Structures are given as structure tokens and as C-alpha cells.
Amino acid sequence: MGEEIEVIHSWSAPRSLSTSLMYSFAQRNDIEVLDEPLYANFLRVTGADRPYKEELRSKMDNDGNKVVKEVIFGAGVKKYRYCKHIAKQRVPGLTNELMKRGKHFILIRNPLDILVVPPSFVELGLAELVSIYSELSELGKPPPVIDAADIQENPEAALRGLCEDLDIPFQDSMLRWEAGPKSFDGIWAPWWYKSVHKSTGFAPAKKYPTPFPTSLYDLLEQSLPFYNMLKRHTRRSSYILNSTLPHPSLPVPANEKLLAWVGDEIVPRETAKVSVFDSVVQGGDAVWEGLRVYSGKLFKLEEHLDRLFDSAKALAFSNVPTREEVKEAIFKTLLTNGMFDNAHIRLTLTRGKKVTSGMSPAFNRYGCTLIVLAEWKPPVYDNEKGITLVTATTRRNSPNNLDSKIHHNNLLNNILAKIEGNNAGADDAVMLDKDGYVSETNATNIFLVKKGRVVTPHADYCLPGITRATVMELVLKENLVLEERRISLSEFHTADEVWTTGTMGELSPVVKIDGRIIGDGRVGPVTQRLQNAYKKLAEESGVSIPIYQKS
């Protein structure tokens, strides 16, 4: 008499190496296998036509719930029972016990590798696989997900990982089997298993694919989002260029589940992407702004939008969204994320998608692409103890080449300077103009204090920042003397106080430049005074976020 057995459920779409994986598990000495035990019930419920339909229904039990109780969860002679299920065969009317009991995992395969004949979306069963994943997650046991491409690339590593996830020991016997039909094959094997019957193990994927049939393009577009949704839950994802980097932690973990505006919709973080034909991808052809949210208000929103539209006009963008449309996108993004304080927005407007790759804006015929990326983000610098700077050899762009008053996305000039700062272990890098005078840092404007006078470089080579302009106004309101002129590097080295300004970091004290201690190496009195004035202004002013109210 048999004993109670632990069931391992494999859920997959057709043509996903599911039969090969069943053969693999069948080689273990502690497992018995069942090949699609719910197939006859599926045919009964759906009325789907198969060449072997009558034979199958006469030889397999058509009562799905009876199969679940007596076949799938019936007594057995081995420790485990492996059940190969095709997702579409989980039809309405089946008992909840099917999902509640046993160990489950999901096998996926890229639709590009599955779609060689014209099936229907329902036949593929990818939506049902997502439903299975969600239902099991709600039951408190999210299933492991394994990609067929990972099995083909490294069978042993993939199977070891799957066994670990299923909490069963791996056995070397899973890597090979004898060619030919198996006693446990379903009666449909002569129609579908000819290729796998020739195999003796997992064969590597073909190096190069065959042309994809354009007749299946629409079905591919429908299917890929479901595949990608599940793929994010695999142990590792398969790419042409595999990365060995560990999954990074986020500076603010809450941002893992943020929602972003892209184009004309709000989407989750992992699907917040632009087209490969977008100008920002093709040539960094976009303009941007950084905004901060304080106590339910957007600080200096109108000024930032003024500069965004000025930059877009300077770059001759066409089909630009209206000011109200941009505002609505910002408000909706913040409200959807519930971000009303201590948040930062990266607002980007690209020239838009092109009809074909190339430099010419004549190819941009879809209109601009708007991106609203809101994150939980405190100031990025240490505004209490101060930051350190080094001077970069990379010079700031001259207006002869690219006017810094255009707030564009082509930031390579700044990035090269930032690399120098990173390599030196500094927070940022000072950038000089072509004549050797200080322009700004790679990310911020810069000020110094000498004998009570506040001095900042002309905005000829640097971006005339909105935070910079705000601080200049505060300097005058505090009855301090303000100068705007050319400043040499040595003046910064010998200054009494130095600070930088920018939306991302607000007003950040600088305590060391190129190894020289600024003042006494602590935050100076003028810096503190202006920090307090800036904080007060940010708390008291700004454009309020419309509060959602039920109608």
C-alpha cells in the first residue's frame, strides 16, 4: 500500500522544454512523474480539438477534481511526485487544493523561441502563468521561476538552483537520460515528442536564431510583457552579455516600488523605459530639470518650467507638450506615489521617437517624450559636516561649442569631470573654463566668502542655476555684499567659506578643495545663515500639489 507523497508541480507554456525537464526529474531515484494529468479535463471543459482527443478522453479520467484528489495527490511509492502541467490546462472548476498543496515552480521561455507556429494568445498560456504566480504569492508561497534559456546555458547550475528553491537535494542523474519514448509519456507523445525522444540531455540553444515570422509580430507584442513580468523573478536573467554583478541595493529602498511617468502613462519602475528610437538614446537629445518637494509643495516649479521650455525652444523641439500638460503629469506622478515631502523629481523632455535611427530631427515625427521620475531622495550631500572637492582637468564647455544655458542631457563633459572626482575620493570636481577660471562643479554652482563678501562666477560657462539665483537673492536679503565675477582657483583655495548650490543637494558647505582646508574646516557662519534662510524659504513657498479628494 502506498504512502502520502509530496507533489512538485511544474507550470509552463507549450514548447518551453517542459518535457525535457520532466525527463530530467524522472531520472531521480526519489521521484515518480505524471505527464499532464489534467489534459483530459482541459479537453472536456474547453472542447479544444486534438487529433488524439477521443483516445485521450477514453484512457484518461475526464473529471479534473477526481484527478487532483486520486491521481495528483494520491498515494505513491516514492518520496516525491513530479507533475508536469501546461498552464492553460488549469481551467475553471478545479479545486483550490491544487494550488494550496505541494511545491510549485514556473518554467518560462521567451516567446521569440516559442512562436514558430501561429497559436493563439490563450494557447500560449503566459497570462495564466502570471495568474498562477500571483495566486501562489497570495497564498504566501511565491513559486520559483526558472527560464528555459538558463537551463540550456548551464543545466547543472540551473537545476541545482531549482532544487535548492524546492528544498530538495540535487542529483547528478538529472543531467542525462536515455533516448527514446518513456513509459510515462502521454498518449500525445507521437505527435509532439519526436525531437525530445532523440535527446539524451539538455542541448544548448542555437547560437543564432532563425528569422522571426512577421505574421506573429502582434502576438509577440501581446506575450512579451507577461514573459518579462515573470522573468524578473528568476534567479538570474539570460542576456547575450551576461553580467556577473550582484543585484545592487538601492540608496532608498522605498524607491524599489516607485511609479514613473513615461510618454503619456504611469508605469512601474522596471517597465519605465523609452524607445530605442528615442532621441535621448540616439544622441542625448533632451532637456531636463530637477525639482524638490517640500511639505506638499513644489519649490520654484514655475522657474524650472520656464527653463525647461526655454531649453526646448533653443534646441528647436517641435510638438512640445503644454505647460499645463507637464504640470498635470508631475502632479499625477507625485499623487500616485504618495510623495508630498523629501522627494526629488527628474523631469525630462526628449525630442521624441524617430521613425528611423539617425541624427536628423527631421526623423522625429511622433512628438516629444515626457518623463517624470519622482524618487524619495534626501539631499545628496552632507550639508552638516561639509563636502570635499578636487579640480578636474576636464574643462567646462565653452559657449563657442555648447551654451551651458541650455539645460540639455548631453552631460559627458560633466561626467568626465565627475569620474576624476570619484577617482580622487572627493564628493565632486571643480571645473575650470578655457581660461583657467573657476566655472562650477560637475553638478552644482559654487560660491565663496572672503572677508564678508560673497562671490560667485559669472554664468558664462556654467548653468545659471535656479538654486544659485535663489541663494543670490537671499545673500542680498541678508544684507551681505554679493559679487559676480571671474574667480581664480587660488581664491577658492584661500577662501574663508565655500559652498555649492543645486536642487539635488540644496546648499552644501565645502570644507576642503585640492587638499586645502577651507577656513577652519567647519561649516562657516555665512553658510549656516544662508542654509537657514534657504530652508525657511523652501518651507514657506512653492506650488501646492492638488490634494486628491473623492467626488
Side-chain angles (χ1 to χ4, degrees):
M1 185 175 177
E3 298 179 358
E4 186 174 348
I5 197 166
E6 186 162 20
V7 178
I8 296 172
H9 302 273
S10 164
W11 297 97
S12 66
R15 302 194 68 254
S16 299
L17 298 187
S18 57
T19 305
S20 295
L21 194 57
M22 177 178 70
Y23 284 7
S24 168
F25 272 84
Q27 307 313 303
R28 298 174 60 101
N29 59 17
D30 57 358
I31 276 185
E32 57 186 64
V33 300
L34 290 177
D35 191 4
E36 301 181 38
L38 295 169
Y39 205 156
N41 180 70
F42 165 75
L43 294 181
R44 177 184 65 82
V45 172
T46 64
D49 191 27
R50 296 291 186 271
Y52 42 81
K53 178 178 180 178
E54 294 307 319
E55 181 186 2
L56 188 152
R57 291 193 63 182
S58 67
K59 293 183 177 179
M60 291 183 71
D61 200 316
N62 291 244
D63 185 338
N65 286 330
K66 184 179 178 183
V67 170
V68 171
K69 181 179 179 181
E70 299 179 6
V71 180
I72 294 176
F73 293 121
V77 296
K78 294 198 175 179
K79 185 174 183 180
Y80 302 107
R81 175 176 293 134
Y82 182 96
C83 290
K84 170 193 160 192
H85 301 297
I86 302 301
K88 64 187 177 187
Q89 295 174 6
R90 195 181 77 122
V91 293
L94 287 173
T95 173
N96 292 335
E97 290 299 302
L98 178 65
M99 306 307 291
K100 289 181 177 179
R101 294 175 61 185
K103 302 172 184 284
H104 297 257
F105 76 90
I106 291 175
L107 172 65
I108 59 173
R109 194 177 189 188
N110 194 319
L112 276 169
D113 300 320
I114 296 175
L115 294 172
V116 293
V117 292
S120 67
F121 179 76
V122 174
E123 282 282 323
L124 277 178
L126 283 167
E128 183 61 25
L129 282 178
V130 173
S131 178
I132 289 169
Y133 184 89
S134 298
E135 186 173 326
L136 289 168
S137 296
E138 288 174 7
L139 290 171
K141 49 179 186 179
V145 180
I146 186 167
D147 195 315
D150 291 333
I151 299 176
Q152 290 179 301
E153 183 181 334
N154 191 332
E156 182 173 347
L159 291 174
R160 282 185 181 276
L162 177 58
C163 288
E164 183 179 329
D165 288 336
L166 294 171
D167 195 25
I168 64 173
F170 169 76
Q171 292 185 9
D172 288 328
S173 59
M174 298 174 71
L175 297 174
R176 62 197 68 83
W177 52 84
E178 292 184 2
K182 307 293 181 283
S183 60
F184 48 81
D185 284 342
I187 65 172
W188 49 89
W191 282 266
W192 306 115
Y193 292 1
K194 291 177 182 178
S195 177
V196 74
H197 282 166
K198 296 176 183 177
S199 70
T200 57
F202 294 102
K206 293 179 181 178
K207 186 174 182 180
Y208 298 110
T210 55
F212 184 78
T214 55
S215 61
L216 299 176
Y217 190 86
D218 289 346
L219 186 54
L220 177 67
E221 278 196 313
Q222 296 166 20
S223 305
L224 271 175
F226 293 95
Y227 166 74
N228 288 328
M229 198 179 302
L230 290 166
K231 184 179 178 181
R232 290 200 295 273
H233 299 289
T234 58
R235 276 186 163 232
R236 60 180 291 275
S237 298
S238 296
Y239 301 99
I240 292 175
L241 299 175
N242 286 317
S243 172
T244 58
L245 295 174
H247 188 71
S249 59
L250 301 181
V252 180
N255 287 327
E256 185 176 358
K257 295 185 178 180
L258 60 77
L259 298 159
W261 181 286
V262 181
D264 58 0
E265 62 179 342
I266 292 176
V267 291
R269 177 187 179 112
E270 289 303 315
T271 52
K273 298 175 174 66
V274 295
S275 169
V276 294
F277 287 97
D278 198 286
S279 284
V280 73
V281 178
Q282 298 267 329
D285 188 6
V287 296
W288 70 281
E289 290 296 320
L291 301 98
R292 274 209 169 275
V293 181
Y294 300 96
S295 303
K297 291 179 286 188
L298 284 150
F299 188 54
K300 299 289 181 180
L301 173 62
E302 301 299 344
E303 291 86 343
H304 280 289
L305 291 182
D306 286 342
R307 188 170 65 184
L308 182 81
F309 286 107
D310 284 348
S311 296
K313 186 175 183 179
L315 292 178
F317 281 16
S318 59
N319 298 307
V320 176
T322 66
R323 194 181 189 96
E324 284 308 307
E325 287 171 336
V326 174
K327 281 186 178 181
E328 284 298 303
I330 293 171
F331 293 147
K332 287 178 180 178
T333 304
L334 290 172
L335 287 164
T336 305
N337 282 289
M339 292 181 179
F340 305 109
D341 194 25
N342 208 27
H344 178 272
I345 297 170
R346 177 85 173 207
L347 180 67
T348 303
L349 186 69
T350 85
R351 197 182 295 272
K353 192 168 64 171
K354 295 176 179 289
V355 294
T356 186
S357 60
M359 184 187 298
S360 175
F363 295 143
N364 293 85
R365 301 177 193 169
Y366 295 95
C368 294
T369 302
L370 178 66
I371 303 168
V372 184
L373 174 58
E375 295 180 273
W376 301 108
K377 186 177 294 233
V380 295
Y381 303 113
D382 187 340
N383 291 345
E384 294 182 3
K385 294 181 180 178
I387 63 174
T388 62
L389 305 176
V390 294
T391 303
T393 60
T394 303
R395 296 297 174 101
R396 191 68 173 93
N397 281 335
S398 164
N400 288 323
N401 307 112
L402 186 59
D403 192 349
S404 62
K405 293 176 181 61
I406 302 173
H407 204 197
H408 56 81
N409 275 58
N410 201 323
L411 299 174
L412 285 176
N413 182 229
N414 308 71
I415 291 168
L416 289 170
K418 178 60 175 173
I419 290 171
E420 293 188 60
N422 289 347
N423 290 340
D427 294 288
D428 270 331
V430 175
M431 299 185 73
L432 309 179
D433 64 24
K434 68 179 181 62
D435 296 319
Y437 292 97
V438 172
S439 173
E440 59 179 348
T441 78
N442 56 272
T444 56
N445 295 120
I446 192 166
F447 291 74
L448 68 79
V449 178
K450 187 70 174 182
K451 296 182 178 179
R453 302 173 73 88
V454 179
V455 192
T456 193
H458 284 297
D460 294 331
Y461 286 76
C462 69
L463 177 76
I466 290 167
T467 308
R468 171 184 182 270
T470 302
V471 171
M472 291 172 74
E473 291 173 5
L474 291 174
V475 167
L476 297 177
K477 285 183 179 179
E478 293 293 317
N479 295 316
L480 297 166
V481 178
L482 175 66
E483 288 184 52
E484 193 178 5
R485 62 172 174 82
R486 279 181 155 187
I487 311 174
S488 65
L489 183 58
S490 64
E491 290 183 87
F492 275 95
H493 288 162
T494 58
D496 299 326
E497 300 179 43
V498 176
W499 68 76
T500 64
T501 59
T503 303
M504 192 85 81
E506 300 174 340
L507 199 152
S508 306
V510 178
V511 294
K512 185 187 289 186
I513 302 177
D514 299 326
R516 280 82 160 181
I517 301 296
I518 304 302
D520 61 2
R522 292 179 292 184
V523 182
V526 177
T527 306
Q528 289 179 331
R529 185 171 160 189
L530 290 168
Q531 280 181 321
N532 292 333
Y534 185 89
K535 181 180 180 181
K536 186 172 185 292
L537 179 66
E539 290 173 348
E540 295 176 350
S541 62
V543 176
S544 295
I545 302 167
I547 302 300
Y548 172 77
Q549 293 179 343
K550 290 185 178 180
S551 57

